[in-house]
Amino acid sequence: MDLPADTVLIFDQDEGLSVFESFMHATNYLEAIDVSEGEYTAAYSPDGGGLALTAPEGWEGPVVMTRTSRGDLVDLKRRVARYWQRHQVGKPPLGPWRRPAS
């Protein structure tokens, strides 16, 4: 099953991966102080579209996410593969756009 287009994949400095079902879920969860301090290294839509995270009102304000004109499906796949190697040892690999069969 393909992930919905609104899904957000966010990578952090420790090569961790957080997946959110929408922009709203992501921006409600993320903290502006972490965005301001560069905790998140990349954000993508499932098709590799680039997403920018900002905290325009500083560390106490909201997180804003916008689509960028820069996409990189190759980088998204590389980051997901690296995450899987480091954090999902022994589990079968999944693509960033696939869910396990029920």
Side-chain angles (χ1 to χ4, degrees), residues 3 5 30 44 55 67 70 76-77 87:
L3 292 175
L30 300 174
Y44 290 104
R67 293 185 191 278
R70 300 179 68 181
L76 172 58
K77 289 180 179 183
H87 301 286

Side-chain angles (χ1 to χ4, degrees), residues 1 3-4 14 19 27 29 39 47-49 51 55 62 67 73 77 90 92 95 97-98 102:
M1 170 185 284
L3 292 175
D14 298 323
V19 180
T27 56
Y29 178 82
E39 174 64 23
D47 65 355
L51 304 172
R67 293 185 191 278
L73 186 57
K77 289 180 179 183
W97 45 90
R98 306 295 286 171
S102 305

Side-chain angles (χ1 to χ4, degrees), residues 32-33 36 55-62:
I33 191 167
S36 295
E57 295 178 26
W59 63 274
E60 289 185 333

